[in-house]
Amino acid sequence: MPFPLSISKVSKMRNQALILLCIVVFGVIGTCHGGSLRKKYYKKTCPNAEEIIKKATEEHVANDPTLPARFLRMHFHDCFVRGCDGSVLLNSTTNNSAEKDAIPNLTIAGFDVIDDIKAEVEKKCPNVVSCADVLALAARDAVSFKFQRPLWEVLTGRRDGRVSRVSEAMANLPSPFSNFTTLVRNFANQGLNVHDLVVLSGGHTIGVGHCNAFSNRLYNFTGRGDQDPSLNPTYAAFLKTQCRNLTDNTTFVPMDPGSVFTFDNNYYVTVKQNKGLFQSDAALLTNKGSRNIVNELLDPKKFFTEFAQSMKRMGAINVLTGNEGEIRKQCFVVN
């Protein structure tokens, strides 16, 4: 029987296994999944770096409540392609189409705000703080703004990558049309498991989804002009009033009805009601193990605890550290 244990037991066993694997394979923990990221990495080189980023982020979020969802998604999309190296921030050039221009990233906004936050850090500490760290910290600080406390720990020391390819974004980013098996494979490719998949999906409690990412569930689910039978009929009827046809790529709706700006665990309530907006949301109910985790995350305290742990793991995916990569002066272009 898959996943018969509680989240806390699974987390403990997984962490112990990872530590053992790191020691066996690498000899030390610091070189495994997360490199040499650490607390207060900039303590000597730029003591106020994290405070500068926090202040600049909060000023922007105060004026634009959509930024927490945008930064969270941007950070996620960065980490799933080449690791958390700021590659999603790079602009395309004459000779290269960058991740930014991949279809899944065309609806991400806020790149200009990350550039502004980076510029604030550069004023105080030029050529010291990476764009990858700026993005990781800004995502945490934006989501945490309303709580007035950090919701998860961000270790720092990431370096910026020099490569960004549209093809890699298309190949590695989980799709809203994915079934459970595909999602598990996407996450496993990044060193994350089913637990992380379900927990990080909770990020859909804030932000919006564009009609073209789910309208097939309303109008042509199996290619015969039908509706996804797993979608709550009342909710489907409402969505049809918003998304009039399959070709609408401009209209958007909240991913978590009634909670578009509120970061909480209501997403799991919504999923349980068969009101998950995307096929990838509904997929969490198609496997017994993931269903059990959804049920456990109906407890708000458990959700916040587990989300913090999974975000910390996600933020350490294939990071560049030490002498790898570079520290970009501007986030949208390599030095």
Side-chain angles (χ1 to χ4, degrees):
M1 185 181 297
F3 304 102
L5 301 175
S6 68
I7 284 178
S8 58
K9 289 180 181 176
V10 170
S11 297
K12 185 175 181 181
M13 290 170 66
R14 181 194 55 239
N15 291 339
Q16 289 172 342
L18 282 173
I19 291 171
L20 180 61
L21 178 65
C22 290
I23 294 172
V24 170
V25 177
F26 297 100
V28 291
I29 297 175
T31 56
C32 185
H33 200 73
S36 54
L37 299 183
R38 61 178 187 266
K39 294 181 183 180
K40 307 288 185 184
Y41 178 83
Y42 299 105
K43 185 176 181 180
K44 293 182 179 178
T45 54
C46 187
N48 297 321
E50 294 189 24
E51 189 55 41
I52 294 168
I53 292 166
K54 180 175 181 286
K55 182 173 182 290
T57 299
E58 291 183 343
E59 287 174 355
H60 281 286
V61 172
N63 294 317
D64 183 355
T66 68
L67 286 177
R70 289 172 170 176
F71 285 176
L72 188 61
R73 185 169 177 232
M74 194 186 296
H75 182 36
F76 180 91
H77 282 212
D78 182 39
C79 291
F80 265 64
V81 184
R82 291 190 162 263
C84 312
D85 67 343
S87 55
V88 74
L89 305 172
L90 288 169
N91 286 346
S92 293
T93 63
T94 306
N95 302 317
N96 179 67
S97 294
E99 293 170 35
K100 248 184 206 181
D101 291 326
I103 292 171
N105 289 331
L106 294 178
T107 51
I108 294 183
F111 290 110
D112 57 327
V113 182
I114 295 295
D115 292 335
D116 288 345
I117 296 169
K118 166 68 169 173
E120 289 300 310
V121 183
E122 285 294 297
K123 288 178 185 176
K124 300 288 186 181
C125 311
N127 307 321
V128 173
V129 182
S130 70
C131 294
D133 275 345
V134 169
L135 175 54
L137 289 163
R140 190 270 311 274
D141 293 340
V143 176
S144 302
F145 174 58
K146 284 189 175 181
F147 295 84
Q148 290 300 296
R149 62 178 177 83
L151 293 185
W152 64 88
E153 182 181 53
V154 176
L155 303 182
T156 44
R158 297 167 189 79
R159 303 266 293 179
D160 296 322
R162 299 187 181 96
V163 178
S164 183
R165 298 190 182 110
V166 67
S167 58
E168 293 183 354
M170 295 299 294
N172 290 289
L173 290 175
S175 165
F177 305 106
S178 293
N179 60 25
F180 183 77
T181 302
T182 303
L183 289 169
V184 171
R185 185 171 61 246
N186 280 143
F187 275 67
N189 287 342
Q190 308 301 333
L192 301 175
N193 60 17
V194 173
H195 168 83
D196 298 307
L197 161 63
V198 180
V199 172
L200 293 173
S201 293
H204 286 178
T205 189
I206 51 175
V208 299
H210 286 72
C211 288
N212 58 330
F214 61 85
S215 55
N216 69 307
R217 301 184 73 199
L218 306 175
Y219 298 112
N220 198 30
F221 187 59
T222 63
R224 293 178 292 190
D226 54 342
Q227 182 175 299
D228 183 351
S230 73
L231 185 61
N232 181 293
T234 305
Y235 186 45
F238 163 73
L239 291 175
K240 285 180 177 178
T241 68
Q242 306 299 304
C243 306
R244 299 287 183 175
N245 54 60
L246 276 169
T247 59
D248 184 347
N249 61 2
T250 55
T251 306
F252 51 82
V253 300
M255 289 189 287
D256 184 0
S259 181
V260 64
F261 295 130
T262 305
F263 189 82
D264 55 24
N265 71 324
N266 192 64
Y267 165 81
Y268 300 100
V269 176
T270 300
V271 167
K272 287 279 289 183
Q273 295 171 341
N274 294 311
K275 294 179 182 178
L277 189 62
F278 305 126
Q279 198 170 336
S280 58
D281 296 319
L284 302 183
L285 296 181
T286 64
N287 172 271
K288 185 174 182 180
S290 60
R291 270 200 313 275
N292 289 343
I293 298 171
V294 167
N295 288 331
E296 290 199 35
L297 294 172
L298 293 171
D299 176 349
K301 185 177 179 181
K302 185 152 289 188
F303 166 66
F304 280 100
T305 299
E306 298 300 325
F307 192 81
Q309 293 178 4
S310 286
M311 282 300 296
K312 190 173 177 181
R313 281 191 290 276
M314 188 195 82
I317 294 173
N318 294 330
V319 292
L320 301 175
T321 59
N323 294 320
E324 300 171 309
E326 65 181 16
I327 303 297
R328 276 183 237 144
K329 294 180 176 66
Q330 295 175 300
C331 292
F332 55 86
V333 62
V334 296
N335 292 342

